[in-house]
Amino acid sequence: MVDTTPLVDSEKEEKIGHKFCGCCCDSKRAVLVFNSLNLIGYLILIVLILASRSNIGAFWAFYIVGIGVFSFAIAGAALYNRWLVAPAALWAEISLVLTIVFSLKGTDTVVVDGQVYQASPVVNIVLALIWQGLVAYANWTFVYEVNKGIMSSKTYKQREEHSCCCV
């Protein structure tokens, strides 16, 4: 007699949740990636600002709060907690508005050793629209899926896990 039962359940349920950008990855993975990149970017920015001895005034609070928001979002994705991820989605929108305002006002200059550096407002705004749009998209999608019960610790491995390159 031959045993026909598989040792490992190879049948995976069909994914119900969203695929980021239509194909890339699931919303949990997108939240983890984008918020990790934001966290690393903010930390690098703080180190560069400290190294250049630039005076950024009240922006310190913005960067410190951002680091906290990104850290909570990463934990929220790992714990399937929408309330820890939602502030990161709002933070992306706040960051976008502030980038537009400061770019248009010309207050996004950095002074290093007496040299004044200012990026093109158009470039700043276009890059912010793209990046913050993707971040908000990832975070809000995750919040929606957790809220609807699509994404959970029970459904992730069995059904919702997806990646075009990282699984």
Side-chain angles (χ1 to χ4, degrees):
M1 185 165 160
V2 177
D3 183 13
T4 59
T5 59
L7 297 175
V8 179
D9 183 17
S10 61
E11 293 293 319
K12 198 172 182 182
E13 293 179 43
E14 188 174 334
K15 181 168 177 54
I16 295 172
H18 188 76
K19 292 178 185 172
F20 190 74
C21 291
C23 66
C24 185
C25 60
D26 57 77
S27 63
K28 175 186 176 184
R29 192 177 308 262
V31 167
L32 290 170
V33 168
F34 277 102
N35 286 288
S36 295
L37 290 172
N38 271 338
L39 180 63
I40 292 166
Y42 270 40
L43 291 171
I44 290 171
L45 191 58
I46 286 175
V47 168
L48 292 174
I49 290 168
L50 288 172
S52 69
R53 299 180 185 183
S54 296
N55 181 10
I56 61 168
F59 283 106
W60 281 115
F62 179 79
Y63 293 122
I64 299 302
V65 170
I67 287 170
V69 167
F70 303 140
S71 299
F72 281 117
I74 292 166
L79 299 170
Y80 303 94
N81 185 319
R82 67 182 184 259
W83 299 110
L84 293 175
V85 176
L90 291 172
W91 194 256
E93 294 163 11
I94 291 167
S95 296
L96 175 61
V97 169
L98 289 176
T99 299
I100 292 169
V101 168
F102 291 124
S103 293
L104 293 175
K105 288 178 80 175
T107 56
D108 61 338
T109 59
V110 176
V111 179
V112 179
D113 295 329
Q115 290 280 71
V116 178
Y117 298 95
Q118 182 176 8
S120 164
V122 173
V123 172
N124 276 353
I125 292 169
V126 169
L127 290 176
L129 281 168
I130 294 168
W131 179 257
Q132 300 302 351
L134 289 172
V135 172
Y137 168 47
N139 289 322
W140 283 127
T141 301
F142 179 81
V143 168
Y144 172 80
E145 288 182 357
V146 170
N147 191 47
K148 292 292 185 183
I150 296 168
M151 180 70 69
S152 71
S153 59
K154 293 178 180 114
T155 62
Y156 186 70
K157 285 287 183 191
Q158 184 64 27
R159 182 185 71 211
E160 294 305 318
E161 185 177 39
H162 176 78
S163 177
C164 63
C165 61
C166 302
V167 175

